[in-house]
Amino acid sequence: MKIEMEKIVSLCKRRGFIFQNSEIYGGLGNTWDYGPLGVGLKKNVKEAWWKNVVYEREDMEGLDSAILMHPNTWLASGHVESFTDLLVDCKKCKKRFREDDLDKHICPECGGELTDPRQFNLMFKTFVGPVENEASTVYLRPETAQGIFINFFNILTSMRRKIPFGIAQIGKAFRNEITPGNFVFRTREFEQMEIEYFVKPGTDKEWHDYWVNERLEWYKKYGIKQENLRLREHGKDEMAHYAKSCFDIEYLFPMGWSELEGIANRTDFDLKQHTNYSNRNLIYFDEETKEKYFPYVIEPSAGVDRSSLAFLIDAYKEEEVRGRKRVFLSFHPDIAPVKVAVLPLLRNRGDIVELSKKIKKDILNQYVTVYDDTGSIGRLYRRQDEIGTPYCITVDVQSLEDRAVTIRERDSMQQDRISIDQISQYLKDKFSLLH
Ligand code: GAP
């Protein structure tokens, strides 16, 4: 089924996943706010990633470095010089374009004459302290990676690590993108999940292949369909200034195949550069072999927003049920922002409401559970389907007598009548089957 981006944008607004930022002021272009369900989705994506790449491994440490760093970081990394796009301006309508987006050297909007291309740095600048001058200039980080490189030695020594090992970090990054768009796919403020994995030179190719495979499997494990994922190797002309080789994991977004995650071999570029620009020698000494070397780095770099968008698109389903369209998100249970909803059949019956709230409270210890009585049962199911809640528990008049409830599964809509004291075991069995 081909899914248009408008459908996803509309569902995200309708159901509280993602809102236009500054909407009451007319909106700030290509800037988005994550609402109650969006926060849950993003949090789950980050947790699934962290669990997989940090907690479940023996060779990884976590980090949360500051967004602002010493400005020399960006001189060393090459971003001041090379993190640029070639831009042209229209002399007539004054609009600005990326040169590589244009087929012909005329303005695509008004046909006007264009200026010669000029380099435009994508980093946002700001100032520390009250004086705005060159000496106080700092940048909002355009990647979280550099926070990892400048902490390489701190982590190596404090955690008594040996090569190979990795450092993982999740955090905001900022780029003054010229052509943002496609909802949260390309924005100026976004979140990255990055790993810098340090290896012995000569073993880098093998580790690169390993990480490409690991990361592909992660997306599949959490529900992205195999046919919507592909690998693409970068050509020499499109590689970042630090990379020796790079693979993109691409997803079939509504606008076509586009990058979901990049996995680059950054060689020893960054550690050598920081050694040259700082007063620290970041060379590694291998105690066993007595060798000294700058480790090579394999970098799987994913976007939280892009992954969340891919999970939303891949989960989006429409079907006809008794002549009516049903929309639901078939999220993997770990990705679903809400796991269980408890719904009273009659909201004006105090005894049913009380029992429903008690059931919700009991389940809440194990699963994110909501109680909802804001509409008829049909409407309540529709809402839970559209936010991708795997199980709905309905409490009815009979529940007061037989101490049983109806549990409805999201994708099949199959309903089971379960004794209240069996709910916990029932959900445990069902969720473990879905993993
Ligand atoms: N440290 C390497 C690096 O930053 P990148 O390919 O420029 O590499 C990695 O970015 C990932 O970050 C991308 O695959 C994408 O998921 C996400 N990303 C990059 N720019 C983005 C933007 N403007 N908006 C949303 N996500 C972005």
Side-chain angles (χ1 to χ4, degrees):
M1 174 184 146
K2 171 112 178 69
I3 297 154
E4 297 96 46
M5 193 71 97
E6 294 74 45
K7 282 192 175 167
I8 302 295
V9 177
S10 154
L11 183 143
C12 282
K13 176 164 188 188
R14 190 167 72 245
R15 295 304 187 190
F17 279 92
I18 303 175
F19 306 122
Q20 168 70 63
N21 167 272
S22 307
E23 197 179 8
I24 61 166
Y25 289 107
L28 178 66
N30 298 296
T31 313
W32 303 93
D33 294 339
Y34 286 80
L37 275 302
V39 177
L41 170 65
K42 254 199 343 172
K43 187 169 154 289
N44 293 345
V45 169
K46 290 187 272 187
E47 271 178 17
W49 184 85
W50 195 265
K51 178 166 166 270
N52 183 255
V53 306
V54 182
Y55 291 148
E56 288 177 356
R57 300 182 65 98
E58 300 295 323
D59 57 352
M60 196 78 78
E61 299 289 353
L63 176 73
D64 185 6
S65 69
I67 287 172
L68 301 177
M69 288 177 240
H70 193 289
N72 285 356
T73 308
W74 307 109
L75 283 174
S77 69
H79 282 79
V80 171
E81 197 184 313
S82 309
F83 198 55
T84 52
D85 274 344
L86 273 181
L87 297 190
V88 289
D89 291 308
C90 173
K91 291 182 182 169
K92 198 164 143 204
C93 72
K94 308 291 176 208
K95 290 225 169 92
R96 187 168 271 187
F97 307 94
R98 261 169 69 159
E99 202 206 18
D100 57 7
D101 285 343
L102 303 178
D103 296 332
K104 290 186 258 162
H105 197 71
I106 53 161
C107 175
E109 299 269 325
C110 73
E113 194 190 338
L114 298 175
T115 60
D116 286 337
R118 284 178 301 125
Q119 297 286 353
F120 174 82
N121 196 294
L122 300 183
M123 284 196 292
F124 280 101
K125 266 187 196 173
T126 188
F127 303 95
V128 283
V131 186
E132 296 190 6
N133 61 22
E134 270 304 301
S136 65
T137 301
V138 290
Y139 300 96
L140 301 189
R141 64 181 178 198
E143 60 172 14
T144 66
Q146 295 306 322
I148 298 181
F149 293 123
I150 61 175
N151 278 292
F152 167 70
F153 237 78
N154 287 337
I155 293 179
L156 180 77
T157 49
S158 63
M159 307 312 287
R160 298 154 177 242
R161 282 292 180 179
K162 288 192 175 78
I163 299 291
F165 81 100
I167 304 175
Q169 164 153 253
I170 299 176
K172 288 261 176 160
F174 303 82
R175 296 179 189 178
N176 200 358
E177 299 278 7
I178 311 307
T179 46
N182 288 315
F183 199 25
V184 295
F185 177 82
R186 180 169 284 115
T187 51
R188 297 194 171 100
E189 172 181 345
F190 55 96
E191 223 171 343
Q192 290 187 312
M193 308 186 279
E194 296 202 289
I195 298 167
E196 306 303 325
Y197 196 81
F198 301 91
V199 305
K200 190 171 177 179
T203 65
D204 47 312
K205 162 92 179 63
E206 183 186 316
W207 279 111
H208 198 180
D209 293 346
Y210 167 85
W211 275 109
V212 167
N213 187 50
E214 278 290 295
R215 296 300 307 137
L216 257 178
E217 289 305 312
W218 183 82
Y219 290 104
K220 288 193 239 162
K221 176 175 177 193
Y222 288 100
I224 304 269
K225 289 181 243 10
Q226 165 110 38
E227 66 263 29
N228 292 335
L229 289 167
R230 75 174 189 194
L231 266 185
R232 190 180 70 80
E233 188 170 7
H234 278 212
K236 287 266 173 286
D237 52 335
E238 56 175 328
M239 217 107 72
H241 60 275
Y242 47 73
K244 171 177 156 187
S245 60
C246 186
F247 287 92
D248 281 349
I249 296 179
E250 294 190 331
Y251 178 72
L252 188 52
F253 286 97
M255 66 283 186
W257 288 101
S258 310
E259 177 186 342
L260 187 56
E261 167 163 353
I263 303 157
N265 180 344
R266 284 184 88 125
T267 70
D268 53 7
F269 175 84
D270 300 88
L271 291 179
K272 270 189 175 158
Q273 284 292 99
H274 288 301
T275 297
N276 292 339
Y277 277 78
S278 70
N279 293 321
R280 293 291 181 82
N281 188 355
L282 303 180
I283 204 158
Y284 174 75
F285 177 64
D286 187 324
E287 303 274 355
E288 274 161 35
T289 63
K290 310 292 175 211
E291 287 170 284
K292 273 186 174 177
Y293 58 84
F294 283 103
Y296 266 42
V297 176
I298 306 302
E299 178 193 63
S301 175
V304 179
D305 311 82
R306 250 178 230 189
S307 305
S308 302
L309 181 60
F311 283 119
L312 272 164
I313 295 167
D314 225 73
Y316 186 92
K317 307 265 169 0
E318 283 178 8
E319 63 182 21
E320 208 175 282
V321 180
R322 291 185 290 278
R324 289 190 66 170
K325 187 169 90 173
R326 179 172 93 105
V327 173
F328 65 106
L329 296 178
S330 62
F331 281 136
H332 183 282
D334 288 358
I335 299 294
V338 176
K339 317 295 181 204
V340 183
V342 183
L343 315 171
L345 196 65
L346 300 169
R347 65 176 146 167
N348 47 11
R349 279 279 301 260
D351 42 6
I352 294 181
V353 168
E354 195 186 328
L355 180 58
S356 305
K357 288 188 173 167
K358 181 173 178 317
I359 292 172
K360 179 211 158 169
K361 200 160 162 255
D362 290 345
I363 309 171
L364 202 55
N365 288 331
Q366 290 159 292
Y367 308 103
V368 176
T369 309
V370 296
Y371 165 85
D372 191 2
D373 66 4
T374 55
S376 66
I377 192 70
R379 272 176 182 272
L380 297 180
Y381 277 152
R382 224 170 301 147
R383 174 177 170 75
Q384 296 306 326
D385 282 347
E386 288 199 8
I387 66 171
T389 305
Y391 292 98
C392 286
I393 299 179
T394 307
V395 183
D396 51 31
V397 180
Q398 212 189 326
S399 306
L400 300 168
E401 280 154 32
D402 66 2
R403 310 300 292 171
V405 291
T406 302
I407 305 189
R408 170 188 181 268
E409 197 271 329
R410 177 194 61 204
D411 297 3
S412 64
M413 292 189 296
Q414 191 197 311
Q415 303 198 355
D416 288 330
R417 192 79 184 165
I418 301 294
S419 158
I420 291 175
D421 54 18
Q422 290 299 308
I423 294 176
S424 177
Q425 190 59 45
Y426 176 90
L427 291 174
K428 196 170 158 209
D429 294 346
K430 290 286 183 184
F431 278 122
S432 66
L433 276 180
L434 293 171
H435 275 83

